[in-house]
Amino acid sequence: MGYPHPSHAGETPVLSQYFGDQDGIGLDGWRKRGGYNGLQKALSMSPAEIVDVVKASGLRGRGGAGFPTGIKWSFMKPGDGKPHYLCCNADESEPGTFKDREIMRWTPHALVEGCAIGAYAIGAETAYIYIRGEFTEPLIRMRQAVREAYDAGIIGKNAMGSGKRIDIVIHKGAGAYICGEETAMMNSIEGRRGNPRIKPPFPAVSGVFGQPTTINNVETLAAVPHIIVRGAEWYKGLSLSSPKSTGSKLFSVCGNIAKPGNYEVTLGFPFKDFLYDLCGGPLPGRTFKAVVPGGISVPIQTMEEAEATKMDYEGFIEQGSMLGSGGVIVFDDQQNMVKQIARAARFFAHESCAQCTQCREGTAWTTKIMERIRDGEGTHEDLDTLFSIADNMTGKTICVLSDSCAVPVVSGINKFRSEFEALIKKPKFHPVTAAVA
Amino acid sequence: MATTAEPTTAVTQPKMVNLTIEGRPVSVPEGTSILEAGKRAGVLIPHYCYHPALSIAGNCRMCLVDVEKAPKLAPACATAAAEGQVVHIYTEKALEARKGVLEMLLINHPLDCPICDKSGECELQDFTYQEGPAESRLRDPKRFNPVEDFGGDVLYTTSRCILCTRCVRFMDEMAQDTVLNVTERGDRALIGKFEGKDLTHEWAGNVIDLCPVGALLSKDSLNKARSWELDHAPSICTGCSQGCNISIDTRDNMVIRFRPRPNEHVNKYFMCDTGRLDYRWINRQDRVEVPLVRRGESLAAADWDVAIPATAALLDGHRVFVAASPNLSNETLYLLSQLIRANGGTGAFTVPTGPEAPLPGVPDLSLRADRAANGDGATLLGFKRTASLLDGLAAGDVLIVADADAANITPAQLALAAAVIVIGTTLPENLRTAAIVLPIANHAEEDGTFTNLRGRVQRFFQAKAAPGMARPSWWVVGDVLAALGKGNAYYLASEVFAAMASDVSAFAGMTYDALGMRGLVVSGGAK
C-alpha cells in the first residue's frame, strides 16, 4: 500500500505527513520540511520546561500502556550524579502492529530529533534506539539518519552548538518478541538474554546498566518535536477526547479489510467511521465479524462493540478492549475464530522467554488445547481448562506476555463460543464394526 | 590529659521492620524478603528458584503470597518485608496460584518418581503432595527431551527440569565460570552448556544439591539408593583444612554420598567435588577388625582386655614417638599428647598437599592446599608438622603410628624403634612387623571435633558402625593411658573434650553443647 492515502477528512497527518515522501528521508529534505526546529527550540529551554510542555500536552505512551510521557520523564531526578539513559523502543513486534517501522522508514530524522529532545529533557547524554533485527529497511534508514545528524553537528558532543552532549546509539535486536518488553530490552542492550526483570526497581531508578532510564516508544518520541514547535495547547486541541486522550495516533490496519495500511487520526475518532470510511470497509461480498483493535494481545471485540467504540484510551476500555499499540486486525465472516486464536496462542508460546512457569508452560499448553479444538478433537472440558489455565496465567508473572496469551483466548471463547462448540460437536470418524453372525 | 578517641567504625544496628506472617509476628532487618521473614517466623513459603546464596530470579512464581492491601499476589522471594505488613500464605487465592504453578510444572514433568534419584527429597514431589492438584488435566502428549551428560559428575535429565536456573546462577555467581545457560524459548527451553564447556569446575557438583528436582543428578551416586533408605549424619569433610560441613548419607552401614551442610561461617551451602567424591575410603573392606598382639613371628588376634595391658606394658618407661594422622580428632590427638607428656617424647604429622581451588563467589571458601582436616588442631595440641613423617624418631623410642600414612616408612626407620604400635583403621604392609595393632574407627564411625584452618572447632557425629571390634580412637588411647595409670578411662567423646578444654587454653570454655552445629573459634581467634 503506498502513501499518501487518498485524502479523507478524518485523517490528521502529523507523524504520517511525509510518509511516502522520498525527499523527506534525507537530512536536507527533512530540514526543508521544518526538521530539527523542535530540537533547536528545546535546546534553548531548560529540561524542566520541556517536561512541563510534554506534561501539558497530555501525550501518552504509544507503545501500549499509555502512561503519560511528561510524568514518566519527571521521574528522572536531575543532578543525582548518575548517568541517565533514554531508550527508544523500536522493537515493534506486536502482531498486527506496523506503524513504528513506517515512522523510521519515511521520517527517520523525526525519531532522531525526538530522541535528542527526550534525552536532553531527562538529563541523558546517551539515547539507545533498540530496533527489531528484522527491520532491515528502517534500520538502514535510521543508521543513515543518525550518521547525517552526527555529521551535521545536530547530535554529538555539542548538539546544535548548545554545548550539550547527546549521543544516539542504534542497537539492533535479534528478533525476539519479548525484547519489546522494556526490562527485557534493557537486558538485551546490556548483552544479556532478553528476559524481563522483576519490578521494582523500576527503570527510572535502576534501568539499563543499573542507571536511571526512561523508555519511550518510537511514536511517542516522534510526536515530541511537533509538541515543542507548535505547543502543548495545539496538541491537546487535536483530540476529540481531550484532556484524557490527546493528540493524533497512528493505527495500523490489517486483515480482511479493503484498504489495509497506516492511518493517523486524532484520538476519540469513531472506530466505525475509521473502519468503514477511512479503511474502506469489508471486502466485496463480506461482512466484518470481529476486530482486535490494539495488537493481538488485547481483547477481541465483536463488530457491535467495535462500532460503538471511540478510538482513545478510555473508549476501547469502555467497550471491553484496549487501545494497546494501535494494531487493528479485522476478521470477516469467512474467518474461523478458533483457528485465528490458536494461531495467536502459538505465537505467544513460541515467544515466551521461558522464565515464569505459568507463561512457559501455560502458553504451550493453551496452544496444544487450542490446536486440538481447531482440529476437531476438543471437548467441552477443554474450554473450562482453557479458562482455568488463563486464570493461572494472568497477573502472576514477571511481565505480561502470559496475560497477553490468555486475553485473546478468553475473549475469543466468550465472544465466539458457538464457533468453538461447533468444532467440538463436529462428528468424529468412527469405524463401523460389522456384527459377526 | 590524654583522651581516648571515639571508635570510628561504630557498629550500626540494622533498622528492623515488624510484620505478621500467617498470624505470627516477626521482626526482621529492613530489606529482608518476605520469604526469609517467613523462615524466621517458622513458616516455609514454598519456592523453587529462590536460594539464599544466589541472586533473586523470581521466575518459578511458586512463592506467591497474599499481602493485605496489595492488589496482586506478591512473590515472597522478591518482595521486601515492610512495617505493618500482614502476609497470608494459605488464603484460597494464594493456594490456587501455587496449585496452578504446580499443575503447570507437572504437565510436562515425567512422573518417573519410581526411578528418579531425587525421589523422596524432590521439592516438586513434596509441594505437590502438600498443595498440588490431585490429578492432571493434560490430555496431550508430554514433551520429551533426552538426557545429557554435562561433564564432571553431573547428568542433566532435561525432561525433569523446571528451569529454576539455580544451576545457571550458581555457575555465574558463585563459580564465576559461565558454563550453563538457558537455551531456547517457550516450553522448548532447557539448560544448555556454552560451546566447548563442561561442568568440570572444582565446585560444579553443587548444582546437583541446588537442583530442587531430579534434573541434575550425580553420576557417582546414580541409582545407588532411594533417599528414604539413607541415614544422615552431620559431619565434617576431611578433604582439606577448610572443614566444610557435610552430611554423610549411609545405607546399610555403607557411605553412599557426601552432601554439603550449611554453615555460614565456613562453607555457606557448598562443598567442592574433591571433597564430595572423597568417601569411598570410608567403605574400604581391608580394615583391621580385631586387636592384634605379636606372638613370635605372627600377629595374633586378641581381646581388648589383652591388647590394652600389653600395649601399656610395651610403653611403660619408654619415650614415645607418635606419628599421627592429621585427620584424627582433637580428642584423640589430645589423649595422644597426654601419652607423650606422660612418657616423654614427641608427636609429628605430615599433611598431603595439592593445588588451591577457591570458590570465587564465596570469600574464604576454597579447596585448601592442606589436604587434611585437622592439621591445625594437631599443631595446637603440640604435634609438629614435618616434611618426613618420622623426622625426630630417636633410637629406643616406642613408635606409635596413629593412623598416619605409612607408605614412606622404611624398615630401617622401624628398626630404630624399640617397638612399633599401630593404632589404625588398617594395617599397611610395611607395618606388619608391629608389636601391637589396635583397630580404631575412622571419623565417620565416631564422634569428635576438628579444628579448621581458621581455628574453628567443629563437631562431627558418628555416621556408621565401626567394623568388628574396632573402637573409637579416643577410647583406645584413653584406655591405654588408664592402663598406664596416667589418666582416666573415657566413655564419651564429650568427656575427652571437656578434659581437653580444661587443660589446653586454646579450647578453654568450650563444650560440645556450646559448639553446637556451627562450631566456635579457638581462643586467640581466627587466622
Side-chain angles (χ1 to χ4, degrees), chain A residues 58-137:
Chain A
L59 174 66
R60 290 169 68 173
R62 303 297 196 223
F67 193 82
T69 306
I71 293 176
K72 188 186 257 190
W73 286 8
S74 69
F75 293 154
M76 303 291 280
K77 299 296 171 213
D80 59 5
K82 297 176 181 174
H84 291 187
Y85 291 98
L86 175 76
C87 292
C88 171
N89 189 344
D91 192 60
E92 190 167 60
S93 329
E94 179 75 357
T97 312
F98 44 88
K99 54 167 179 92
D100 290 345
R101 72 172 178 187
E102 292 300 272
I103 294 174
M104 292 187 282
R105 272 178 79 199
W106 296 111
T107 59
H109 282 284
L111 182 58
V112 171
E113 188 175 359
C115 286
I117 297 172
Y120 172 60
I122 63 162
E125 290 193 337
T126 306
Y128 283 94
I129 301 177
Y130 187 92
I131 301 185
R132 183 170 186 75
E134 289 95 330
F135 282 177
T136 308
E137 193 186 347

Side-chain angles (χ1 to χ4, degrees), chain A residues 61 69 72-73 76 85-90 122 128 180-186 189 199 202-204 207-208 213-218 220-221:
Chain A
T69 306
K72 188 186 257 190
W73 286 8
M76 303 291 280
Y85 291 98
L86 175 76
C87 292
C88 171
N89 189 344
I122 63 162
Y128 283 94
E181 196 279 337
E182 60 178 11
T183 57
M185 190 181 79
M186 296 191 303
I189 288 173
K199 289 189 277 192
F202 291 95
V208 71
T213 302
T214 292
I215 295 137
N216 289 127
N217 178 253
V218 169
T220 316
L221 288 169

Side-chain angles (χ1 to χ4, degrees), chain A residues 193 352 357 372 388 396, chain B residues 61 137 139-140 182 184 186:
Chain A
R193 187 178 157 96
S352 164
T357 306
R372 188 148 43 74
S388 168
K396 299 187 178 73
Chain B
R61 315 308 285 177
R137 294 183 289 180
R139 289 181 54 216
D140 309 277
V182 177
E184 267 288 359

Side-chain angles (χ1 to χ4, degrees), chain B residues 65-77:
Chain B
V65 291
D66 220 342
V67 180
E68 280 187 13
K69 294 177 188 160
K72 292 200 294 185
L73 294 172
C77 67

Side-chain angles (χ1 to χ4, degrees), chain B residues 100-427:
Chain B
V101 171
L102 288 165
E103 183 178 35
M104 297 284 189
L105 290 176
L106 287 168
I107 60 169
N108 282 307
H109 190 94
L111 297 179
D112 57 354
C113 310
I115 57 157
C116 175
D117 251 27
K118 198 78 170 182
S119 185
E121 53 194 15
C122 165
E123 290 167 37
L124 184 57
Q125 199 177 39
D126 292 347
F127 291 133
T128 302
Y129 184 74
Q130 206 171 298
E131 302 187 344
E135 55 191 53
S136 173
R137 294 183 289 180
L138 181 78
R139 289 181 54 216
D140 309 277
K142 277 181 188 275
R143 175 183 64 208
F144 173 77
N145 290 303
V147 173
E148 196 182 343
D149 184 345
F150 267 3
D153 185 36
V154 186
L155 202 63
Y156 180 48
T157 312
T158 319
S159 292
R160 294 179 191 149
C161 180
I162 62 168
L163 272 298
C164 71
T165 69
R166 281 186 186 179
C167 52
V168 178
R169 283 175 284 146
F170 174 82
M171 290 309 296
D172 288 356
E173 298 162 13
M174 298 290 114
Q176 294 178 8
D177 179 11
T178 306
V179 176
L180 301 177
N181 57 28
V182 177
T183 300
E184 267 288 359
R185 290 195 301 240
D187 76 330
R188 291 122 30 234
L190 42 86
I191 301 298
K193 291 184 297 178
F194 281 102
E195 192 68 31
K197 290 223 173 184
D198 267 333
L199 276 184
T200 46
H201 188 275
E202 178 60 48
W203 295 81
N206 289 289
V207 299
I208 298 161
D209 313 312
L210 289 167
C211 183
V213 295
L216 295 171
L217 297 173
S218 162
K219 288 186 236 170
D220 179 76
S221 60
L222 195 67
N223 299 334
K224 281 188 184 164
R226 311 304 288 157
S227 71
W228 50 85
E229 297 171 319
L230 296 172
D231 294 314
H232 313 280
S235 191
I236 303 296
C237 177
T238 56
C240 79
S241 56
Q242 180 75 33
C244 288
N245 291 214
I246 62 166
S247 168
I248 300 184
D249 294 357
T250 58
R251 176 194 177 199
D252 295 340
N253 216 40
M254 294 278 281
V255 178
I256 300 295
R257 65 181 180 185
F258 283 175
R259 284 189 308 160
R261 183 168 58 87
N263 186 338
E264 67 272 27
H265 303 296
V266 182
N267 57 312
K268 299 288 182 198
Y269 305 86
F270 311 120
M271 72 183 298
C272 71
D273 286 9
T274 297
R276 183 185 297 270
L277 299 173
D278 181 32
Y279 67 86
R280 290 183 187 82
W281 61 271
I282 297 177
N283 293 329
R284 63 191 291 177
Q285 298 296 303
D286 59 342
R287 296 282 296 272
V288 200
E289 296 193 7
V290 289
L292 302 171
V293 178
R294 182 153 298 281
R295 298 269 184 261
E297 287 301 301
S298 60
L299 283 166
D303 207 336
W304 280 106
D305 291 346
V306 174
I308 294 292
T311 309
L314 209 57
L315 285 167
D316 202 16
H318 282 92
R319 269 170 54 91
V320 293
F321 183 92
V322 180
S325 160
N327 281 342
L328 287 172
S329 65
N330 289 318
E331 289 77 355
T332 307
L333 290 166
Y334 167 68
L335 292 177
L336 285 169
S337 75
Q338 293 300 96
L339 197 60
I340 296 166
R341 192 192 290 179
N343 281 28
T346 50
F349 67 99
T350 56
V351 179
T353 56
E356 290 255 346
L359 181 61
V362 183
D364 205 32
L365 178 54
S366 179
L367 166 61
R368 302 291 174 177
D370 276 6
R371 301 290 163 81
N374 206 23
D376 292 79
T379 305
L380 281 173
L381 290 162
F383 288 80
K384 285 196 180 65
R385 178 171 173 153
T386 54
S388 177
L389 187 60
L390 298 188
D391 268 0
L393 173 69
D397 285 354
V398 171
L399 171 63
I400 299 175
V401 180
D403 219 27
D405 180 4
N408 295 324
I409 296 179
T410 61
Q413 287 173 312
L414 293 178
L416 210 60
V420 177
I421 298 169
V422 174
I423 301 175
T425 52
T426 58
L427 180 58

Side-chain angles (χ1 to χ4, degrees), chain A residues 289-431:
Chain A
K289 176 159 78 176
V291 179
V292 173
I296 196 67
S297 60
V298 307
I300 298 169
Q301 289 189 308
T302 62
M303 268 329 283
E304 291 73 30
E305 289 165 337
E307 288 177 4
T309 304
K310 231 174 24 165
M311 298 176 80
D312 61 25
Y313 294 96
E314 292 75 30
F316 282 109
I317 290 169
E318 277 166 24
Q319 290 301 323
S321 189
M322 285 165 70
L323 173 69
S325 59
V328 179
I329 309 171
V330 188
F331 304 98
D332 70 15
D333 51 20
Q334 303 289 302
Q335 293 309 314
N336 175 343
M337 293 309 288
V338 180
K339 189 175 167 185
Q340 297 299 339
I341 295 163
R343 179 181 289 170
R346 170 154 290 283
F347 169 80
F348 288 110
H350 184 266
E351 294 295 331
S352 164
C353 85
Q355 262 195 117
C356 299
T357 306
Q358 295 95 328
C359 182
R360 181 182 68 244
E361 305 294 344
T363 52
W365 192 12
T366 300
T367 305
K368 282 180 183 174
I369 297 175
M370 281 300 309
E371 291 181 347
R372 188 148 43 74
I373 297 173
R374 178 199 65 195
D375 297 341
E377 299 294 330
T379 65
H380 287 285
E381 290 75 41
D382 283 336
L383 297 184
D384 297 334
T385 307
L386 282 173
F387 279 125
S388 168
I389 297 170
D391 189 44
N392 282 333
M393 288 163 65
T394 307
K396 299 187 178 73
T397 45
I398 293 174
C399 79
V400 294
L401 190 145
S402 177
D403 307 52
S404 299
C405 179
V407 162
V409 172
V410 169
S411 61
I413 299 174
N414 280 334
K415 289 169 184 174
F416 300 96
R417 193 174 185 109
S418 60
E419 293 192 25
F420 285 78
E421 291 189 339
L423 279 168
I424 287 168
K425 284 175 184 158
K426 197 172 87 174
K428 307 265 186 336
F429 172 73
H430 295 292

